[in-house]
Amino acid sequence: MPNTHQLSDRPRILVVGGGYVGLYVAKKLQKKVKAHGGIVTVVDPLPYMTYQPFLPEVAGGQIEPRHAIVSHRTHLGDAELVTGRVTAVDHDNRKAVVVPTEGEPFELEYQDVVMAAGAVTRTFPIPGLAESGIGLKTIEEAVALRNQVLERVETASMLPAGPERESALTFVVVGGGFAGIEAITEIEDMVRKAVSKNDRVEQDEIRFKLVEAMGRIMPEVTAEQAEWVVDHMRSRGIEVLLNTSLAKAENGKLELTDMTDKSSAGTFGADTLIWTAGVMANPMVRSTDFVVEQRGRLVTGQDLRLTNEDRTEVIEGAWAAGDISAVPDVTGGLPDGTCVPNAQHAVRQAKLLANNIYAHRYGVGRIKKYVHKNLGAVAGFGSWKGVAKVMGIKLKGAPAWIAHRGYHGLAMPTFERKFRVVGGWFLSLFFNRDTTQISDLQDPRGAFVEAATPKPKPEAKKDDAKAEAPKAEAKSSTAEAADKAEVAA
């Protein structure tokens, strides 16, 4: 058992997850709850929150990876932090099962619980996907992807013309939502810059393919804007395959299927497969006694309290927000009338949720309902390129790119991180994006292990052995003469 006696025994508000919702709720409540004799406890397997809209720019070398994350220890100094996962919640008894990164599972009692475990990558049982693909949901994936792409370009420059070289220079993104479009355009921008510095690779050798199962991309923008984005990508040499899905990803070969008639849409080699085909609510919600709706999210009222199935009764002491929750959206949203799972809703819900918990638990203020009209959408496609729809105004190209950076620069949590990100953007205006590959991240101890491993001594050469033979015979003769002299004496 872990040293659970080291955890606080004060009345606890348990925050399950330290992403957008968890960070903002804990940050706004930590001092207030502490002043009332309670404690805010955040349980998350990572010691930081990741600002996911920046991941494409991290993968494309536009943002320093550490600047896209927010440290829990730095900004949640008055909260109790537990590194681990909540794997089950028994709300009837106000207990949660925590599995720490080190040690045995233990139960943690609480007064209120905030379900903020967010979403995970949604995948399908495609042969070879788990072995060949990489997502873009974590900062680690973004860093690994950036280095893999740059490494493939460098490796290809030393390969002869043929299938192996073609596979190294082929980059495929599956998923035509915001994440997929931003990922493929940012990486394409970076690859073009890297190739311009390598005279052993030609620009026309690079192949980028976007695979989308639906008939259009980016449902968050208008159809007209989506068509413009497709035309823009194709003008950059990116092949956009609509109504197409990934069937197999085995042995370095990708097999596609035409969704209109289920026929084969081709097979080709590709060393880099990026999966951005959506997310789903964290499946840990099914290990709770809360109601889960058809999309796998927790049924949540407009005031962000968990409810019964038809939202007629609230569950005392249980709250949720962000991607894990099905919050009613009176201004539009998904076809079922709930909020779209995105950062814009998560951040705004988190701030309201913190105020509502404080009002309910300590009687300060009043509980309010979540109402937020989506102001629009912005997306960046590499340096000075993008698309946006802000308050009904359609933008594309450089104006959209500026709007994209302006919005996300302001939305990045904490002033410290805003300053670091914007400072990096400012420097990139003069020095352009960084195309330096960091090698051996998958095996960082490789160089040390090689240096510390004893090396076998080289065997003596045949010529050296022949030269040593007369010396050995001479020594033997001398020793035999000495023995004879001793006997004669």
Side-chain angles (χ1 to χ4, degrees):
M1 285 289 291
N3 291 326
T4 52
H5 64 275
Q6 295 179 351
L7 299 178
S8 174
D9 58 359
R10 288 178 285 173
R12 173 177 286 109
I13 295 177
L14 174 62
V15 180
V16 181
Y20 299 111
V21 175
L23 175 74
Y24 274 101
V25 168
K27 195 170 185 297
K28 287 182 69 69
L29 286 179
Q30 57 181 347
K31 293 183 183 295
K32 295 177 181 179
V33 172
K34 184 178 180 180
H36 284 277
I39 187 74
V40 174
T41 301
V42 179
V43 181
D44 194 281
L46 299 174
Y48 51 79
M49 168 262 193
T50 303
Y51 190 69
Q52 293 175 6
F54 281 158
L55 294 181
E57 290 199 56
V58 171
Q62 290 278 51
I63 293 178
E64 162 65 32
R66 288 178 300 169
H67 297 172
I69 61 177
V70 181
S71 166
H72 291 158
R73 287 286 174 195
T74 300
H75 298 283
L76 299 179
D78 290 297
E80 182 178 58
L81 303 177
V82 177
T83 305
R85 298 179 185 274
V86 171
T87 57
V89 175
D90 178 7
H91 190 65
D92 287 342
N93 295 302
R94 297 295 200 279
K95 290 182 179 180
V97 176
V98 178
V99 179
T101 53
E102 295 287 342
E104 297 297 321
F106 61 92
E107 289 187 342
L108 196 60
E109 297 183 351
Y110 62 82
Q111 188 175 45
D112 292 272
V113 63
V114 177
M115 300 299 295
V120 299
T121 300
R122 181 187 62 186
T123 60
F124 302 101
I126 298 173
L129 177 61
E131 295 77 19
S132 305
I134 183 171
L136 194 57
K137 192 77 170 59
T138 69
I139 197 71
E140 293 82 3
E141 287 176 322
V143 173
L145 178 58
R146 176 176 179 271
N147 286 297
Q148 175 180 325
V149 168
L150 292 173
E151 182 275 331
R152 287 290 82 196
V153 172
E154 195 65 31
T155 297
S157 72
M158 298 299 293
L159 294 174
E164 190 175 357
R165 183 182 176 101
E166 291 176 2
S167 294
L169 295 176
T170 300
F171 308 94
V172 180
V173 173
V174 178
F178 262 65
I181 302 300
E182 290 187 319
I184 197 167
T185 50
E186 283 286 349
I187 293 172
E188 188 266 350
D189 232 19
M190 178 181 69
V191 169
R192 298 294 180 193
K193 177 63 66 174
V195 169
S196 71
K197 300 176 182 178
N198 191 326
D199 57 11
R200 295 192 299 268
V201 182
E202 300 295 331
Q203 294 287 356
D204 59 8
E205 293 185 90
I206 309 300
R207 292 192 299 170
F208 275 90
K209 295 177 182 287
L210 177 75
V211 178
E212 168 54 47
M214 305 298 291
R216 62 161 290 183
I217 62 170
M218 301 179 74
E220 300 88 346
V221 300
T222 66
E224 180 185 353
Q225 285 180 304
E227 290 174 4
W228 177 86
V229 173
V230 171
D231 291 339
H232 169 77
M233 287 194 293
R234 286 174 174 163
S235 72
R236 293 167 60 170
I238 299 172
E239 188 176 353
V240 180
L241 304 173
L242 301 178
N243 294 308
T244 306
S245 66
L246 178 66
K248 290 183 181 179
E250 296 179 311
N251 304 316
K253 297 289 185 181
L254 304 188
E255 182 179 324
L256 305 181
T257 297
D258 187 327
M259 296 298 290
T260 57
D261 58 9
K262 302 300 180 181
S263 63
S264 174
T267 300
F268 56 92
D271 291 352
T272 304
L273 171 60
I274 307 164
W275 182 269
T276 62
V279 297
M280 64 179 186
N282 195 314
M284 66 81 54
V285 299
R286 300 191 183 281
S287 298
T288 70
D289 47 5
F290 302 127
V291 180
V292 179
E293 46 91 83
Q294 60 183 1
R295 291 178 181 266
R297 300 172 299 167
L298 297 171
V299 177
T300 313
Q302 206 176 337
D303 60 3
L304 306 180
R305 284 187 284 190
L306 295 182
T307 69
N308 61 352
E309 190 170 1
D310 57 7
R311 294 188 172 90
T312 57
E313 297 179 11
V314 299
I315 299 175
E316 175 68 23
W319 308 77
D323 295 354
I324 204 171
S325 63
V327 179
D329 187 352
V330 296
T331 65
L334 295 172
D336 62 359
T338 59
C339 292
V340 176
N342 60 23
Q344 188 176 141
H345 280 304
V347 171
R348 286 167 174 77
Q349 289 171 4
K351 294 176 180 179
L352 177 66
L353 193 155
N355 291 334
N356 282 356
I357 289 180
Y358 193 59
H360 175 73
R361 181 54 58 193
Y362 301 106
V364 181
R366 63 187 180 87
I367 295 178
K368 298 180 181 180
K369 294 183 178 181
Y370 179 72
V371 179
H372 171 69
K373 185 175 182 180
N374 195 330
L375 299 178
V378 292
F381 301 154
S383 299
W384 302 102
K385 298 178 283 289
V387 67
K389 182 183 178 184
V390 182
M391 299 180 67
I393 301 174
K394 301 174 185 177
L395 303 172
K396 59 185 179 181
W401 179 78
I402 293 172
H404 162 76
R405 288 207 157 178
Y407 172 78
H408 287 297
L410 291 173
M412 180 68 192
T414 77
F415 174 78
E416 170 232 351
R417 270 342 193 216
K418 293 182 199 290
F419 188 84
R420 291 180 186 274
V421 168
V422 174
W425 282 340
F426 179 75
L427 290 176
S428 70
L429 294 176
F430 301 95
F431 302 109
N432 214 315
R433 70 173 73 235
D434 191 343
T435 57
T436 307
Q437 171 206 349
I438 300 177
S439 303
D440 298 327
L441 282 179
Q442 303 299 324
D443 184 24
R445 295 184 62 249
F448 175 78
V449 170
E450 183 180 358
T453 301
K455 307 295 188 298
K457 293 182 180 180
E459 296 182 3
K461 296 181 179 178
K462 292 183 179 181
D463 292 343
D464 294 340
K466 290 179 179 179
E468 289 294 329
K471 294 181 181 180
E473 292 176 1
K475 289 181 180 179
S476 177
S477 300
T478 303
E480 185 178 350
D483 291 340
K484 289 179 178 180
E486 185 176 352
V487 170

